[in-house]
C-alpha cells in the first residue's frame, strides 16, 4: 500500500516536472544545442525499434535488378545528395552540416537494412530532416534507390558518375509526380505513362483525401 | 541529474503520446469494386440526345474495359480533348498520349455516375456528366470528383465525339 502511494506520488511528480519543463520553456529546441547523450541514445533506440517493427513485413524485391539500380542512381543523385552527399561529391553542404540529427553519409546509408531503408524513404522521420518520399513517388522507384544505396559503400566517384549518367531521364530516374509543377502534362524524359485524365493534378496544398462519402456530403452543406 | 530524469520522462511522454493517438486511418481497399454504375444517377436526357448518350456510354465502357482502341472508334479523327490545362488535338494524339493511362486507371476504378444532362440540336449534342470515382492506389483509396463535357456531331457513320473536356479533383476538396 505504502509502495503504491510512493509510486503514485513519484508519477505525479514526473508529470508535474514534465509540465513545468514544457511551460517554463526550459527545454531548448535549438538544433545547435545537442541532446544529452542518453536522450540521444533513447531517441535513436525508439527510432530503430519503431522502424524495425513497422518494416518487418515488407516484401523486398530483387535488389540486384539492373532496372531498379538504373532508376535508383538518377533519383538518388537528384534528390538525396544535398543531405547525404555522394561518392562524386563528398563536400559538406549547408544541409548536411546544418541538420540535427546529422544526415548519415552515403556510405553509411548503404549498410541500412533494406526494409528499414525502404520504410524510412517512404515515410520519412519525424522531427528530423528526412522527408517523406512516398507521397510523390511510386514504391518501385523507392526500391530503386534502396537497391542503389546498397552499392554505395566503397563506390568510386567515376563509377557513381557513370551510374547516374546511365540512369533514365535527364537527372531523375523517373517516378516523380509533378507536385506543384505548372504543367501537369510535363514529362520527365523517361518513358513513363502519363497521369490518367481522371486523376487530379496533385496539389501539395490540398487537404488529405477524405475517401468516405459522408465527409463529402459535409462539404456540400449550404 | 534530476532535470535529466525529468527530461528523459518528457521525451518518453512525447514519443509515447502520438504513438497511441494516431489511429490507423486506412480506407477500405476491398470496398472498391471496379466497374461502372449509373444506378443512382440523376439523369436529364433529351430524347434527341439519347443516341449520342449511348455513344458516350460505349466510349466510357470500352475505356473501363481497358480497351482504348475500341473506345477510339467513337471519336472523330479531329477530336479535341482538353484536360486540366493539357490538350490533345486528334484521335491519334489521344491514342498515343493519355488513352493507355486512362484505360489502365479506369480498369481498376469504381465509377459512379452521379448526374448527367444531355441535349441535342440538329447535328450537335452535348452531354455533361459528373462522376464519383474510387480507385486503389497502393494500400490507399483515392476518391475523385470527375466532370466531363462531351460534344458530338452526327455524321454519316452516326454520332462521333468531337470534343471532350475532363477535369477532376480530390473528392471533398474545396470549391
Amino acid at each position: 500500500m505504502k509502495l503504491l502511494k510512493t509510486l503514485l506520488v513519484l508519477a505525479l511528480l514526473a508529470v508535474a516536472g514534465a509540465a513545468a519543463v514544457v511551460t517554463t520553456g526550459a527545454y531548448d529546441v535549438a538544433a545547435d544545442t545537442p541532446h544529452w547523450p542518453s536522450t540521444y541514445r533513447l531517441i535513436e533506440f525508439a527510432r530503430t525499434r519503431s522502424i524495425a517493427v513497422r518494416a518487418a513485413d515488407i516484401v523486398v524485391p530483387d535488389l540486384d535488378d539492373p532496372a531498379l539500380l538504373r532508376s535508383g542512381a538518377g533519383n538518388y543523385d537528384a534528390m538525396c545528395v544535398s543531405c547525404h552527399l555522394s561518392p562524386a561529391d563528398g563536400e559538406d553542404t549547408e544541409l548536411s552540416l546544418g541538420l540535427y540529427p546529422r544526415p548519415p553519409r552515403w556510405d553509411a546509408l548503404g549498410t541500412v537494412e533494406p526494409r528499414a531503408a525502404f520504410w524510412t524513404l517512404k515515410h520519412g522521420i519525424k522531427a528530423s530532416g528526412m522527408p517523406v518520399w512516398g507521397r510523390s513517388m511510386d514504391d518501385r522507384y523507392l526500391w530503386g534507390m534502396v537497391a542503389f544505396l546498397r552499392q554505395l559503400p566503397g563506390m568510386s566517384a567515376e563509377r557513381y558518375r557513370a551510374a547516374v549518367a546511365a540512369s533514365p531521364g535527364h537527372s531523375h530516374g523517373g517516378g516523380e509526380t509533378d507536385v506543384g509543377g505548372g504543367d501537369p502534362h510535363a514529362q520527365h524524359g523517361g518513358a513513363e505513362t502519363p497521369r490518367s485524365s481522371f486523376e487530379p493534378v496533385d496539389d501539395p496544398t490540398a487537404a488529405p483525401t477524405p475517401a468516405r462519402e459522408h465527409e463529402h456530403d459535409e462539404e456540400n452543406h449550404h | 541529474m534530476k532535470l535529466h530524469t525529468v527530461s528523459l520522462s518528457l521525451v518518453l511522454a512525447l514519443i509515447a503520446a502520438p504513438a497511441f493517438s494516431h489511429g490507423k486511418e486506412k480506407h477500405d481497399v476491398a470496398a472498391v469494386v471496379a466497374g461502372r454504375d449509373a444506378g443512382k444517377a440523376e439523369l436529364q436526357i433529351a430524347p434527341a440526345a439519347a443516341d449520342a448518350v449511348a455513344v458516350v456510354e460505349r466510349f466510357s465502357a470500352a475505356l473501363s474495359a481497358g480497351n482504348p482502341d475500341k473506345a477510339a472508334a467513337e471519336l472523330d479523327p479531329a477530336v479535341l480533348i482538353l484536360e486540366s490545362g493539357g490538350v490533345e488535338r486528334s484521335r491519334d494524339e489521344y491514342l498515343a498520349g493519355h488513352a493507355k493511362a486512362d484505360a489502365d486507371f479506369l480498369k481498376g476504378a469504381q465509377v459512379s455516375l452521379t448526374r448527367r444532362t444531355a441535349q441535342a440540336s440538329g447535328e450537335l449534342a452535348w452531354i455533361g456528366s459528373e462522376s464519383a470515382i474510387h480507385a486503389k492506389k497502393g494500400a490507399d483509396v483515392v476518391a475523385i470528383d470527375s466532370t466531363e463535357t462531351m460534344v458530338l456531331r452526327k455524321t454519316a457513320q452516326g454520332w462521333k465525339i468531337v470534343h471532350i473536356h475532363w477535369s477532376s479533383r480530390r473528392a471533398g476538396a474545396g470549391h
Side-chain angles (χ1 to χ4, degrees):
Chain A
M1 200 52 208
K2 198 149 171 231
L3 180 69
L4 257 183
K5 250 190 207 149
T6 318
L7 282 179
L8 193 69
V9 169
L10 279 180
L12 279 174
L13 274 178
V15 171
V21 171
V22 172
T23 45
T24 57
Y27 181 72
D28 188 355
V29 296
D32 53 4
T33 310
H35 295 295
W36 283 313
S38 52
T39 316
Y40 194 92
R41 278 199 299 276
L42 176 65
I43 297 177
E44 181 132 312
F45 181 64
R47 168 171 65 81
T48 316
R49 286 303 303 149
S50 168
I51 296 173
V53 165
R54 285 170 176 74
D57 294 335
I58 295 176
V59 181
V60 183
D62 175 12
L63 295 178
D64 297 322
D65 179 350
L68 270 191
L69 286 166
R70 256 200 314 280
S71 97
N75 278 328
Y76 181 86
D77 193 61
M79 303 192 302
C80 319
V81 294
S82 54
C83 290
H84 294 292
L85 312 178
S86 79
D89 194 356
E91 290 277 306
D92 269 316
T93 64
E94 281 168 320
L95 281 172
S96 75
L97 278 177
L99 283 168
Y100 182 79
R102 287 282 297 274
R105 248 177 56 135
W106 50 271
D107 38 3
L109 290 187
T111 62
V112 179
E113 200 277 320
R115 284 183 196 85
F118 175 81
W119 190 95
T120 307
L121 263 175
K122 188 164 165 117
H123 300 284
I125 297 179
K126 262 199 197 84
S128 92
M130 179 60 187
V132 176
W133 298 98
R135 288 221 182 101
S136 52
M137 298 191 85
D138 236 44
D139 284 2
R140 59 204 157 112
Y141 299 103
L142 299 180
W143 279 119
M145 284 186 283
V146 172
F148 185 66
L149 290 184
R150 296 199 325 149
Q151 314 264 321
L152 281 176
M155 188 183 279
S156 69
E158 291 73 49
R159 241 189 80 211
Y160 178 83
R161 284 201 199 92
V164 172
S167 194
H170 44 282
S171 62
H172 276 45
E176 63 284 12
T177 52
D178 299 288
V179 174
D183 178 4
H185 283 240
Q187 298 263 331
H188 297 273
E192 298 310 314
T193 46
R195 179 184 56 83
S196 83
S197 306
F198 304 95
E199 290 160 281
V201 180
D202 261 324
D203 171 2
T205 63
T209 320
R212 272 155 293 160
E213 288 302 331
H214 63 267
E215 279 175 53
H216 180 44
D217 291 341
E218 273 159 27
E219 277 290 321
N220 290 338
H221 60 69
H222 297 287
Chain B
M1 194 59 212
K2 218 186 252 147
L3 188 64
H4 198 158
T5 320
V6 169
S7 153
L8 269 184
S9 45
L10 173 65
V11 168
L12 269 179
L14 286 181
I15 294 173
F20 291 117
S21 63
H22 278 213
K24 267 257 173 265
E25 290 161 37
K26 280 269 162 65
H27 302 303
D28 197 358
V29 175
V32 174
V33 181
R36 301 180 55 78
D37 165 31
K40 292 199 203 73
E42 229 174 276
L43 303 174
Q44 278 189 306
I45 295 172
D51 289 346
V53 167
V55 169
V56 170
E57 268 304 313
R58 279 209 297 275
F59 174 82
S60 307
L63 269 192
S64 280
N67 194 340
D69 291 317
K70 190 167 166 215
E74 313 298 342
L75 297 175
D76 186 89
V79 63
L80 174 68
I81 300 179
L82 307 181
E83 183 264 324
S84 300
V87 190
E88 277 156 335
R89 293 188 173 78
S90 69
R91 182 171 64 194
D92 291 343
E93 202 177 312
Y94 177 63
L95 274 175
H98 273 77
K100 187 175 164 351
D102 289 357
D104 285 349
F105 174 77
L106 287 177
K107 210 159 55 182
Q110 179 175 351
V111 183
S112 311
L113 186 69
T114 51
R115 203 182 260 269
R116 168 167 282 168
T117 116
Q119 298 280 322
S121 171
E123 302 194 329
L124 280 182
W126 53 99
I127 299 163
S129 309
E130 297 162 47
S131 306
I133 302 179
H134 288 89
K136 285 173 239 184
K137 191 162 191 188
D140 288 327
V141 174
V142 276
I144 297 167
D145 288 337
S146 169
T147 57
E148 166 190 285
T149 307
M150 294 234 185
V151 179
L152 291 88
R153 186 167 45 218
K154 200 183 235 162
T155 68
Q157 289 83 42
W159 291 100
K160 293 287 167 200
I161 299 166
V162 292
H163 172 58
I164 303 178
H165 193 155
W166 279 309
S167 77
S168 45
R169 65 170 189 220
R170 286 177 189 269
H175 293 262

